[in-house]
Amino acid sequence: MVDVSGPLATMHPATLAWVSSVARLAERELRVRHLESLERLRAVAAPLLARLPGRALAVDGLGWTAAVTGLAPQERYPLPKRFGPGRAWVPQLGECGVEALPGGWLLRVAESRTDAPAGRVVLDFSRPRSWAVTVYGAAGSWSQELSPRHAELLFLLAESPRGRSAAELAAELFGDPTRTVTVRAELSRVRRHLAGVLTHRPYRFAEDVEVEVIRPRDPAGLLPHSTAPAVIRARLGRTGPDVIP
């Protein structure tokens, strides 16, 4: 949004042309970001699609196509409003098995109805400065490096199968339950890549997802950068919040 509201007397004759130029620049930037996101999704999806029999495709969160196999290419497939991993009816495709990919979805067009297998997530925190998440599904697996903050959040969620509210995560991460805005913003970024395995209200891993955490051999090496109270307790082998007299 470009806001140039103000008194008419101060409006410069070139304002309209300036606003039009800024709008065109914004449109170009959005288009470039969109194409870059599709390229990232395509890089992850292409090896998976190459191993799949039948018809399948990778789309972003709005249905824009990144890669296909066994189908005629189409620019976009409208997705249902309620859409997630498992099975879904997609217009123009019919019933599909849906799996999460970083920045999008893998759709396997059903030839016959079969139950989608539960997913598996492996969180590797065994190295001191490099952490990764690997997601396993029916079509194969994909991995992604984690930032220090996202590694902390996923560790906390893995330690809380029943889930945590934003306030609880803020308390465990910062020692301050009021910092919910930061927690929600970070989890929103995480869920762009893990939407199929993470749910919210409360934040948690989906019930049908098996979660494995690989810790370092030395407990003191667990996320050594972290000052989160919950991570510090895990390094010391404690459970639950510290009690301060």
Side-chain angles (χ1 to χ4, degrees), residues 139-152:
S141 64
W142 54 267
S143 298
Q144 181 170 314
E145 295 293 321
L146 295 172
S147 70
R149 180 68 75 216
H150 292 172
E152 290 175 321

Side-chain angles (χ1 to χ4, degrees), residues 124-132 146-156 173 214-216 218-228 230-232 234-235:
D124 187 352
F125 301 131
S126 61
R127 293 169 291 180
R129 298 291 174 184
S130 178
W131 314 283
L146 295 172
S147 70
R149 180 68 75 216
H150 292 172
E152 290 175 321
L153 283 168
L154 290 178
F155 174 76
L156 296 180
L173 195 61
I214 302 176
R215 302 190 183 211
D218 181 1
L222 176 66
L223 302 177
H225 70 283
S226 178
T227 59
V231 176
I232 293 174
R235 292 193 201 117

Side-chain angles (χ1 to χ4, degrees), residues 8-226:
L8 181 60
T10 64
M11 191 67 68
H12 192 278
T15 298
L16 180 59
W18 173 74
V19 171
S20 298
S21 297
V22 172
R24 285 194 294 271
L25 286 173
E27 289 173 353
R28 181 182 181 279
E29 178 65 21
L30 290 173
R31 189 177 301 111
V32 168
R33 292 187 184 187
H34 172 65
L35 293 175
E36 288 176 346
S37 67
L38 285 180
E39 283 297 327
R40 289 192 294 269
L41 177 57
R42 186 176 296 114
V44 174
L48 299 178
L49 293 175
R51 299 195 296 266
L52 288 178
R55 298 177 295 163
L57 65 157
V59 298
D60 70 5
L62 297 176
W64 293 97
T65 305
V68 301
T69 182
L71 289 165
Q74 181 171 312
E75 189 174 37
R76 183 171 181 247
Y77 290 89
L79 301 179
K81 289 184 178 180
R82 293 186 178 182
F83 193 75
R87 303 194 73 82
W89 181 268
V90 180
Q92 303 177 20
L93 293 174
E95 188 174 22
C96 297
V98 182
E99 296 182 35
L101 292 176
W105 304 97
L106 174 66
L107 307 182
R108 304 180 67 184
V109 182
E111 305 298 338
S112 60
R113 185 173 179 85
T114 57
D115 292 327
R120 180 167 172 258
V121 174
V122 176
L123 300 172
D124 187 352
F125 301 131
S126 61
R127 293 169 291 180
R129 298 291 174 184
S130 178
W131 314 283
V133 56
T134 303
V135 178
Y136 296 87
S141 64
W142 54 267
S143 298
Q144 181 170 314
E145 295 293 321
L146 295 172
S147 70
R149 180 68 75 216
H150 292 172
E152 290 175 321
L153 283 168
L154 290 178
F155 174 76
L156 296 180
L157 292 177
E159 293 293 290
S160 310
R162 295 183 179 180
R164 288 288 185 269
S165 67
E168 289 172 327
L169 286 172
E172 294 180 340
L173 195 61
F174 304 112
D176 181 359
T178 66
R179 296 186 60 177
T180 56
V181 173
T182 302
V183 167
R184 290 192 180 100
E186 291 293 345
L187 282 170
S188 177
R189 297 184 183 100
V190 174
R191 294 184 70 228
R192 291 175 189 173
H193 303 292
L194 297 174
V197 295
L198 284 180
T199 61
H200 61 299
R201 298 178 183 177
Y203 294 105
R204 64 192 186 282
F205 283 96
E207 293 182 0
D208 59 348
V209 173
E210 176 189 350
V211 181
E212 177 185 353
V213 178
I214 302 176
R215 302 190 183 211
R217 292 184 177 180
D218 181 1
L222 176 66
L223 302 177
H225 70 283
S226 178

